[in-house]
Amino acid sequence: MAKAPVLTPQSEDFPRWYQDLINKAELADNGPVRGTMVIRPYGYGLWERMQQEMDARIKDAGAQNAYFPLFIPQSYLTREAEHVEGFAPELAVVTHGGGKELEEPVVVRPTSETIINDYFSKWIQSYRDLPLLINQWANVVRWEMRPRVFLRTTEFLWQEGHTAHATYEDARDYAAYIHKEVYADFMVNVLGIDVVLGRKTPRERFAGAINTLTLEGMMGDGKALQMGTSHELGTNFSKAFNTTYLSKDGRQELAWQTSWGSSTRMVGGLIMSHGDDNGLRVPPRLAAVQVVVMAIKGDEAVAKVREIGDRLKAAGLRVQVDDRTDTPFGRRAVDWELKGVPVRIEIGPRDLEAGTAMLARRIPGGKEPVRLDALAELLPAILEEDQAQLLRESRERRESRTTEVRTIEEASEAAVAGGWARIPWSTLGQEGEARLAEQAVSVRCLVAADGSVPEADDAPGTVAIVARAY
């Protein structure tokens, strides 16, 4: 009798596979309040690595980290009408505290444009104070009606950047820099996901923005996932909060602003982009554990794996030693397979006698014997090969499942069939976009014919990327 698979096969039920993997790989659990999640240590380790990589890029872009309060006076949100209208259905509002009704209700932050602008208006006096570039790592709350762990949760973790500039051009260029040099660089070169960079339509634009730049990734089932966004806010929030500065010419001017964010949704994107029927496949540049060194059995093997682990750590690799010989080896190997650690080094008594180990590669699969004294030299190149393979697979999937179409009906058919469609925006337009929305199909972004980001919604040759989305 065939053994039941550890995970529901992707081809049988992709959503069930996703949930199985989160549970079996010990990434997260559902929280006690609907829509919340408990991120377990291995899942949080992935997020920590994402934070480290992103934080370095954000700081290279000149932004500094700060922290702003979780609670925002409700009156702050009403100052920017479009913003509050966009978030109204998702707000969590506190009306009582300390056993008393509050004089003014407070909102649990869904995003921080309003409260940060209140302080920007105090901190910015002169053109010398600009640009002001701030980022915070925090949690936010958006009351989610259809929650899914990592993808859509009532509370999630993220970073949100907020900046103020002297000119429209400076703000526009900074938003574009974050979009390409921070987000795209991280997602392509670390996550190994071949994201499409584009411009949101007015319908999909962030509430209160004049332009939203997005990064869209194709998941294993052909649906799209918005991986991050960078917004040009114009002077909308500056007007609402009187965020002005004294220019070199001695005039009071409104500051031009941006905001941008990425979240724990990227963990969901990682799972759905690279996971297979055996579990996660974690890109080596991201992996908190790149190599696990396993003792199969025996006291001598235990001592040796610890020695090898120390040697590989000294070579700059992120290594974990698994010397739990009281747990069956097969069970441990399956657990590491589920967790997607790129490389396993398996060592038993016979291997020690031969001076070799069995090297198992998670991403391409397969095993081969290698000499113990060659590991430190071999592994960096192997990890880079596997990193490149994930990016290549991501790109090939998107290209093979994207269809050039000429009609709204063809665009809908391609999306419903589990792929993306490219259709001229001049053909689709806002009326066609509304028709697609009735079928749960959306315009993920607008791109130029050459794949770059168009400077305007109606730029000649602009193409709409159409898909079903998470």
Side-chain angles (χ1 to χ4, degrees):
M1 184 167 155
K3 186 183 292 186
V6 176
L7 304 174
T8 301
Q10 290 185 357
S11 59
E12 184 177 308
D13 189 335
F14 194 86
R16 173 52 57 190
W17 166 83
Y18 177 79
Q19 195 59 51
D20 283 354
L21 179 48
I22 286 172
N23 293 334
K24 297 288 179 66
E26 299 180 334
L27 300 178
D29 272 327
N30 290 313
V33 174
R34 184 179 182 275
T36 61
M37 63 177 168
V38 174
I39 306 176
R40 300 184 67 175
Y42 190 75
Y44 198 80
L46 295 173
W47 175 240
E48 283 183 311
R49 287 284 304 143
M50 292 181 184
Q51 281 184 299
Q52 291 165 17
E53 291 282 350
M54 290 281 291
D55 196 58
R57 287 166 172 77
I58 289 168
K59 286 173 178 169
D60 284 346
Q64 294 179 298
N65 286 338
Y67 186 81
F68 292 83
L70 174 69
F71 296 124
I72 301 173
Q74 192 173 41
S75 60
Y76 280 33
L77 271 80
T78 61
R79 294 194 205 177
E80 215 290 324
E82 186 179 350
H83 187 68
V84 70
E85 182 181 354
F87 279 100
E90 301 176 328
L91 297 181
V93 182
V94 179
T95 58
H96 289 73
K100 299 179 180 179
E101 184 173 357
L102 300 178
E103 291 185 11
E104 179 185 351
V106 296
V107 172
V108 184
R109 63 177 169 225
T111 179
S112 299
E113 277 77 9
T114 56
I115 193 165
I116 288 177
N117 259 279
D118 186 60
Y119 285 87
F120 275 14
S121 66
K122 299 175 183 178
W123 298 343
I124 297 170
Q125 303 298 324
S126 159
Y127 68 91
R128 298 183 183 89
D129 300 320
L130 299 173
L132 180 55
L133 313 173
I134 294 292
N135 177 66
Q136 77 164 341
W137 291 94
N139 64 336
V140 292
V141 171
R142 299 177 185 177
W143 214 257
E144 184 58 55
M145 296 297 103
R146 296 183 297 277
R148 295 192 70 185
V149 173
F150 290 123
L151 300 178
R152 291 188 177 275
T153 48
T154 295
E155 178 193 13
F156 55 89
L157 306 179
W158 78 342
Q159 59 74 214
E160 52 178 318
H162 300 268
T163 71
H165 305 260
T167 67
Y168 160 74
E169 291 79 11
D170 194 33
R172 177 200 62 197
D173 292 347
Y174 194 79
Y177 183 90
I178 293 292
H179 185 223
K180 183 178 180 181
E181 303 300 333
V182 175
Y183 290 159
D185 180 70
F186 167 70
M187 292 170 193
V188 172
N189 294 314
V190 179
L191 290 188
I193 299 176
D194 189 50
V195 290
V196 169
L197 284 69
R199 179 187 181 99
K200 285 291 189 185
T201 64
R203 180 189 182 97
E204 296 287 331
R205 193 175 291 158
F206 178 71
I210 62 172
N211 182 32
T212 290
L213 303 172
T214 183
L215 302 101
E216 303 286 331
M218 179 184 280
M219 302 296 100
D221 61 352
K223 288 185 179 179
L225 184 71
Q226 179 181 290
M227 300 284 289
T229 47
S230 182
H231 316 289
E232 297 174 44
L233 302 180
T235 57
N236 290 342
F237 289 89
S238 296
K239 291 173 184 174
F241 287 84
N242 194 31
T243 309
T244 62
Y245 69 95
L246 189 66
S247 72
K248 289 182 180 180
D249 299 330
R251 295 195 303 268
Q252 286 293 327
E253 304 279 2
L254 289 167
W256 295 82
Q257 295 185 278
T258 78
S259 68
W260 26 278
S262 61
S263 74
T264 39
R265 172 179 283 196
M266 291 190 295
V267 179
L270 171 73
I271 296 167
M272 294 193 298
S273 289
H274 300 318
D276 62 19
D277 286 348
N278 294 318
L280 271 175
R281 294 190 302 164
V282 181
R285 292 181 188 172
L286 176 76
V289 179
Q290 295 174 312
V291 181
V292 60
V293 187
M294 302 181 67
I296 296 176
K297 61 180 179 180
D299 294 338
E300 290 184 20
V302 167
K304 192 64 175 179
V305 299
R306 292 173 180 168
E307 177 190 323
I308 293 171
D310 289 341
R311 193 186 310 157
L312 296 179
K313 287 178 186 176
L317 299 169
R318 295 187 289 276
V319 179
Q320 183 162 331
V321 170
D322 183 348
D323 55 9
R324 300 168 295 158
T325 53
D326 55 344
T327 300
F329 173 76
R331 181 185 303 173
R332 289 185 286 138
V334 168
D335 284 345
W336 290 117
E337 187 99 344
L338 281 165
K339 288 181 165 65
V341 172
V343 172
R344 299 195 310 274
I345 305 297
E346 302 169 356
I347 303 173
R350 291 182 181 176
D351 300 302
L352 288 177
E353 290 178 11
T356 63
M358 191 61 70
L359 186 151
R361 294 170 68 173
R362 176 67 183 90
I363 291 164
K367 292 186 178 184
E368 61 178 317
V370 296
R371 291 196 55 78
L372 292 174
D373 57 12
L375 283 171
E377 183 179 352
L378 286 174
L379 285 173
I382 286 172
L383 293 171
E384 282 302 296
E385 286 177 12
D386 293 353
Q387 178 81 30
Q389 177 172 330
L390 288 178
L391 179 60
R392 184 169 60 252
E393 289 179 3
S394 174
R395 180 177 298 117
E396 289 172 353
R397 177 175 61 239
R398 178 178 59 80
E399 290 177 347
S400 67
R401 299 177 71 171
T402 299
T403 306
E404 299 284 345
V405 302
R406 287 289 169 183
T407 69
I408 296 171
E409 290 72 25
E410 290 174 341
S412 177
E413 288 172 8
V416 171
W420 291 8
R422 284 169 51 96
I423 182 172
W425 178 238
S426 59
T427 299
L428 183 65
Q430 294 187 25
E431 182 180 341
E433 183 180 18
R435 284 174 56 189
L436 287 175
E438 295 172 359
Q439 304 168 59
V441 175
S442 59
V443 176
R444 302 315 305 155
C445 62
L446 302 175
V447 299
D450 63 1
S452 63
V453 180
E455 295 184 1
D457 301 340
D458 57 356
T462 297
V463 175
I465 304 294
V466 173
R468 285 191 165 175
Y470 284 97

